[in-house]
Amino acid sequence: MELQEHKLTKREYALVSSMLFALFFGAGNLIFPLHLGQLSGAHWLSAALGFLVTAVLLPLLSVLAISITRAGGVYDVGRPLGVCFALTFMVLIHGTIGPLFGTPRTATVSYTVGVAPLVPAHFQTLGLVIFSAVFFGLAYFFSVEQSKIVANIGKLLNPIFLILLALVFFLAFLKPLGNPVHQAVTTAYQHDAFFNGFLQGYNTMDALAGLAFGVTVVTAIRSLGKRNPNAIALVTARAGFFSMGFEAIIYLLLIVIGAMSLGQFKLAANGGVTFDQLVNHYLGVAGQAILAVLITVTCLTTAIGLVAAFAQDFHKHFPSVSYRVWLRFTTIASFLTANIGLNLIISWSTPMLMFLYPLAMVLILLSITSPLFKRDPVVYAFVVLFTCVPAVFDMIAAFPPVVSQSAFGKAMTSFQMSYLPFAKYGMDWVVPALVGAVIGLIWHFVKLAREHTTASVSDN
């Protein structure tokens, strides 16, 4: 028994924390903070605080939700609402952060930012095909043995990424390109920097990923000898605090560097362009090679986590298909989607994020507070139902112009802006969710009071 339930060493805790950090820190986690720094300029701190709420605090809460409910994955988080909802939610989450949007983005971002500048223009399409094939081949190779995922990421890939990123930080702060407090602020960030930073944090997809990675983290901890659910929950929570705290520091540094870069460069179309400009400024052609390795490694670690989580969850709930078959399915599907193109992927993923993020946020908060109302499905139902309405409006408004600018899309947006509080900030789900929570909790405690009264009468 001692061999099965031994106390983890500091090295093992560090290994789990390193793996968790690497799973979270991927494609968007490098480029979105840099771009946020450029957009917010002198208002970088307010924007950063908003960004940290959705890019750090929410993912940490998602890890805690897995710990508190002893969930094995995203399915268990939605389980209080029934099997059908839990399965649907699991499929939507894994589809969005998996082969439809998130996983392909790990390959397209690493290629577009790191490799494409080194490839002749007339070979770009072929280059992406070859690169994404090798990329997802490696993702499959490193995740095919579930027991080795923690070692492959925590021991091998993550240290390479951190060393290269530390080099970029050292150069950026040794010879800063400008003073961040003196840089121009874009119109959107002049008055609503916090809320715009909050919405930018959606793009990292980390709150969704935190729910999906639950099964991978639990599997990894069990591989280290932990079997007791309470012990697994405690290790998950501690690793989450460490890894997300470290990630917050990196985000702040990237946002500051993005703001400083305005002293030398103009506002770029995205953070990938900014990163490319920075490394070429400091290191020239060698910098581009370093950037290619840096961003490919960090994207690969996230891709490994995403394909493994997809395969583990789907095998768990559809056991007639093996883990390896699901793994092959998601890697091949991600390869095909990646070759559609980065801009198209982002334009169609944003609406799904605007719909799923509010649902994920309320489910995370419900999971954390669930001991207070004994995971009563009625409370869950009211909160989720009331949240779905504004989430649908947000999704329609975020679609490409073919939908959002249609007569139907404009009518929905007009209604949303007129009648839903905080709609202009993208926070129109907050008030309905709170109303749903109040109704659900009143229902719960009235029911408890009636049951207590009935029990007292029966005893007498």
Side-chain angles (χ1 to χ4, degrees), residues 320-387:
S320 59
V321 180
S322 71
Y323 168 79
R324 292 194 178 193
V325 171
W326 282 119
L327 189 65
R328 284 194 286 271
F329 168 80
T330 187
T331 50
I332 292 172
S334 298
F335 163 75
L336 295 174
T337 307
N339 285 276
I340 294 174
L342 177 60
N343 290 334
L344 191 61
I345 290 172
I346 292 176
S347 66
W348 285 98
S349 65
T350 301
M352 286 304 300
L353 292 177
M354 295 302 290
F355 174 73
L356 287 174
Y357 245 93
L359 295 181
M361 284 189 275
V362 296
L363 283 171
I364 288 168
L365 293 174
L366 285 169
S367 296
I368 290 173
T369 58
S370 61
L372 299 176
F373 53 88
K374 300 179 180 178
R375 297 195 85 188
D376 189 339
V378 173
V379 180
Y380 274 79
F382 274 112
V383 175
V384 170
L385 180 63
F386 278 53
T387 303

Side-chain angles (χ1 to χ4, degrees), residues 87-109:
L87 275 176
T88 302
F89 187 63
M90 184 194 82
V91 171
L92 287 175
I93 292 290
H94 276 299
T96 301
I97 65 172
L100 293 180
F101 303 116
T103 310
R105 193 178 72 177
T106 60
T108 53
V109 168

